[in-house]
Amino acid sequence: MILKHPTAQRLAYLLCSVFLLLASTAFSVIASEQAPEEKQTLDKVLFVGNSFSFYNNGIHNHLGSLIRAEGNWQRGKNRLRLQTLSGGHIHEQLEGLQATLSNDRLGWQAVVLQAHSNEAVLKSKQARFTSSLKQAIDIVRGHRLEPILFMTWGYKDDPKMSQALAEAYIEQAEKHNVHLVPVGLAFAQAAKALPNVELFVPDVLGIEDTAAGNIITYREEWKHPSVAGTYLAACVFYASLYQKSPLGNPFTAGLDPDVASALQSLSWQIVSDFQSRS
């Protein structure tokens, strides 16, 4: 059985608790007390999203590497795949999602739905986001698969966006009774607890002609993940989907071992705290 998100009555309490947690710079590993029979094994998961998912060789590959590194990947049994559209919104994914699931030969068990970075909180996009998300969830459930919602992160140095996204995704998870993976909360906590770990990379804006020559300029908003950002997101998925800590996993994505360990620990603490309020 997959753990669900908090009930509506506990929504306000959860948000208050989570953002009190984000104000702290300390974190610790919380040991899981969940009985083995309650754990859900998802061997075949399809990720549907955009650049937030495909940066740095894909979040699915990082997740797969975590599974392989602990010796739990079996050829023919496990499969993770990514279906993306650069800059894609949920409504733009519907046709491709339906086609993929209608022609499924791989036996998917679950589908991760990742929306555009701002469509859940931008007023001009919210109505279409909520209606399209319902359609996507209905498509997934129509194929008797488990829909999983990917809580994305706020842009760098924008805690208000982080909070708005958390509120929006928890509301949708409650409304549709779907599993929610709190990646955005992990990014917000990492910004507080691990300020020296850069989770973002800048996007090139263009060229500025100066007396010193052509200089590359960058967009003001940093939103795409660095390798550390993708790795953190994968660790949160690992902790959330498989109900165990990634701490000690030898796969580090090329990061400094101490940085990888800190991200592993943080991801487990965020997921444990989030789900303990379910």
Side-chain angles (χ1 to χ4, degrees):
M1 178 180 67
I2 288 181
L3 291 181
K4 300 300 180 183
H5 47 80
T7 61
Q9 292 83 356
R10 295 179 181 176
L11 177 57
Y13 170 69
L14 171 68
L15 287 171
C16 179
S17 299
V18 164
F19 286 99
L20 282 175
L21 172 67
L22 297 182
S24 171
T25 59
F27 56 91
S28 59
V29 179
I30 301 174
S32 174
E33 298 178 354
Q34 190 177 28
E37 61 271 20
E38 293 179 338
K39 294 179 181 178
Q40 170 71 19
T41 300
L42 291 176
D43 301 316
K44 296 183 179 181
V45 181
L46 174 67
F47 284 75
V48 175
N50 54 38
S51 56
F52 273 31
S53 290
F54 71 59
Y55 255 53
N56 307 305
N57 198 33
I59 189 173
H60 67 305
N61 280 326
H62 285 253
L63 177 59
S65 293
L66 288 167
I67 298 171
R68 288 183 173 92
E70 66 178 8
N72 286 333
W73 185 278
Q74 297 181 37
R75 186 174 182 180
K77 177 184 178 182
N78 295 86
R79 181 177 292 274
L80 302 173
R81 178 170 284 184
L82 183 59
Q83 180 171 300
T84 64
L85 177 65
S86 181
H89 295 65
I90 288 290
H91 73 275
E92 297 174 293
Q93 305 281 10
L94 296 176
E95 184 176 350
L97 176 62
Q98 180 67 270
T100 296
L101 298 184
S102 296
N103 295 286
D104 178 30
R105 298 292 186 273
L106 300 174
W108 299 116
Q109 296 168 294
V111 178
V112 173
L113 300 171
Q114 183 250 304
H116 187 274
S117 61
N118 63 18
E119 67 174 309
V121 295
L122 199 62
K123 289 185 178 181
S124 61
K125 296 182 179 182
Q126 285 176 323
R128 188 165 59 181
F129 165 73
T130 56
S131 63
S132 298
L133 182 62
K134 180 183 184 303
Q135 292 179 64
I137 290 170
D138 288 345
I139 289 172
V140 174
R141 285 181 169 154
H143 291 274
R144 299 186 178 182
L145 307 178
E146 181 74 20
I148 297 171
L149 193 53
F150 182 161
M151 180 198 291
T152 54
W153 51 84
Y155 299 167
K156 181 179 173 68
D157 298 327
D158 193 346
K160 290 184 178 180
M161 184 179 185
S162 297
Q163 180 166 354
L165 284 167
E167 292 172 352
Y169 278 106
I170 290 173
E171 179 182 359
Q172 291 303 310
E174 167 65 24
K175 180 178 180 180
H176 299 294
N177 194 32
V178 295
H179 184 86
L180 176 61
V181 180
V183 176
L185 296 182
F187 266 65
Q189 172 65 354
K192 297 285 187 180
L194 303 170
N196 294 326
V197 177
E198 182 55 74
L199 301 176
F200 298 89
V201 292
D203 294 320
V204 173
L205 177 61
I207 292 289
E208 181 179 352
D209 188 7
T210 68
N214 291 332
I215 298 177
I216 295 178
T217 59
Y218 295 90
R219 295 185 184 278
E220 182 177 353
E221 295 174 330
W222 289 33
K223 59 183 178 179
H224 286 112
S226 65
V227 173
T230 296
Y231 183 76
L232 174 59
C235 286
V236 175
F237 267 96
Y238 178 95
S240 185
L241 298 186
Y242 304 112
Q243 293 298 292
K244 56 185 178 181
S245 173
L247 186 62
N249 191 293
F251 173 65
T252 66
L255 300 170
D256 180 277
D258 289 340
V259 170
S261 180
L263 295 174
Q264 291 171 353
S265 178
L266 186 147
S267 68
W268 178 238
Q269 194 240 336
I270 288 293
V271 170
S272 298
D273 186 82
F274 186 72
Q275 294 187 339
S276 71
R277 288 164 172 77
S278 297

